[in-house]
Structure formats: C-alpha cells, structure tokens
C-alpha cells in the first residue's frame, strides 16, 4: 500500500528530525494511523516519534486533541480549521516538536456538497507555525489514503527543513 517513494519521504523526514534533535507526532482521521505506521516502518524511528493519535470521531478529536466543538459544528470535521486544530492539539498533547495531521473523505461514501470523496486537509505544526493544505485526491479509498500519507510527509519535511 505504501510505495518506496513514500518510505523514502519518511526516511528523509526522520533523518532531518534526528539531525536537528526534533520529535514528531501524528493526529490522523482519514488515514487511520498510516502516517505513523509509515514513519515507524523506518528503522530508528523510535528516536524521533513521540506518539500517534487516531481520532476518527468528532468526540475523539475534541476529547484527545482539544479541537473546539465550535469548530467541528461550524466547519465540519473535514475542514482547514479542524486540521489546524488537530495538528496544534497533537503537538501540545504529545509534547512533540512537529505534528502532522489529516482529516478527509477517503470514500467510497461520506461525500457531502462541496466536499467530494478525495477531499483531504493536511496540517503540519512546528514551533508556532502551522501550515494546512487542501487537496482533492483521485482514486479509490486506498489511493486517497496513500496520497494523504505521502503529502503529509512531504509537508512535514518542508517545515522541518526551514525551521
């Protein structure tokens, strides 16, 4: 499911984190733990990964990550503000330097007006800076989830490289 290029991104992220003495955590919804699973597939990842949170339900997003209920009600779980709050909440909960988060609609069901299957928000938070990407990935459930993992690792690497 996870290709060699994505594993390469995970290895590059870990190498950069380790060179800078930084740690990472994940907060995942639509990927169901695949980001953390990809990172931990790399030998030596235990030196950098703090925790991984799979917060599939809105209640878990609120209870575990501190995502305000008002954001969930106003914007829905699949939104930029919620992805941002997930990343920032995971970073705080784990005490990590970098947090990677995602929320989306992997399909085949779940689409709503304005949010078709493949809609994903990916966030990365590090040292007071949070970036959120909005993507519409093509393909089936497995393809959307794999693309989400690859994009999250790429975003994390970009933020760590410039920090």
């Amino acid at each position: 499911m996870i290709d060699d290029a994505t594993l390469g991104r995970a290895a590059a992220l870990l190498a950069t984190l380790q060179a800078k003495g930084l740690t990472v955590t994940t907060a995942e919804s639509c990927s169901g733990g695949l980001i953390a699973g990809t990172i931990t597939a790399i030998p030596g990842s235990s030196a950098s990964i703090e925790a991984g949170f799979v917060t599939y339900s809105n209640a878990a997003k609120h209870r575990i990550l501190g995502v305000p209920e008002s954001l969930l009600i106003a914007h829905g779980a699949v939104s930029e503000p919620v992805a941002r709050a997930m990343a920032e909440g995971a970073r705080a909960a784990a005490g990590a330097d970098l947090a990677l988060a995602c929320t989306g609609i992997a399909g085949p069901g779940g689409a709503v007006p304005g949010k078709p299957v493949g809609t994903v928000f990916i966030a990365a938070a590090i040292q007071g800076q949070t970036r959120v990407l909005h993507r519409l990935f093509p393909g089936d459930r497995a393809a959307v989830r794999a693309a989400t993992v690859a994009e999250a690792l790429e975003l994390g690497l970009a933020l760590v490289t410039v920090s």
Side-chain angles (χ1 to χ4, degrees):
M1 184 185 303
I2 300 302
D3 61 21
D4 289 341
T6 302
L7 286 171
R9 284 183 187 98
L13 174 61
L14 281 171
T16 305
L17 288 167
Q18 290 170 3
K20 293 185 172 208
L22 301 175
T23 58
V24 63
T25 188
T26 63
E28 304 180 60
S29 188
C30 64
S31 59
L34 287 176
I35 298 169
T38 302
I39 293 169
T40 59
I42 306 301
S45 60
S46 61
S48 297
I49 193 157
E50 282 292 327
F53 303 98
V54 176
T55 54
Y56 221 70
S57 72
N58 286 355
K61 288 174 181 66
H62 173 68
R63 185 179 64 253
I64 297 168
L65 303 176
V67 175
E69 287 180 336
S70 59
L71 287 182
L72 292 161
I73 292 166
H75 303 281
V78 179
S79 65
E80 182 275 333
V82 169
R84 178 180 300 278
M86 287 174 66
E88 292 169 355
R91 187 171 179 262
D97 299 297
L98 171 69
L100 303 175
C102 66
T103 181
I105 304 167
V112 296
K115 296 179 185 177
V117 169
T119 301
V120 179
F121 291 86
I122 301 163
I126 188 168
Q127 302 167 351
Q129 178 185 4
T130 304
R131 287 188 51 203
V132 182
L133 304 176
H134 175 202
R135 297 290 185 259
L136 181 58
F137 295 121
D140 63 8
R141 183 176 184 82
V144 169
R145 288 163 44 108
T148 298
V149 172
E151 192 82 12
L153 294 169
E154 194 69 36
L155 177 59
L157 182 58
L159 278 185
V160 170
T161 300
V162 300
S163 69

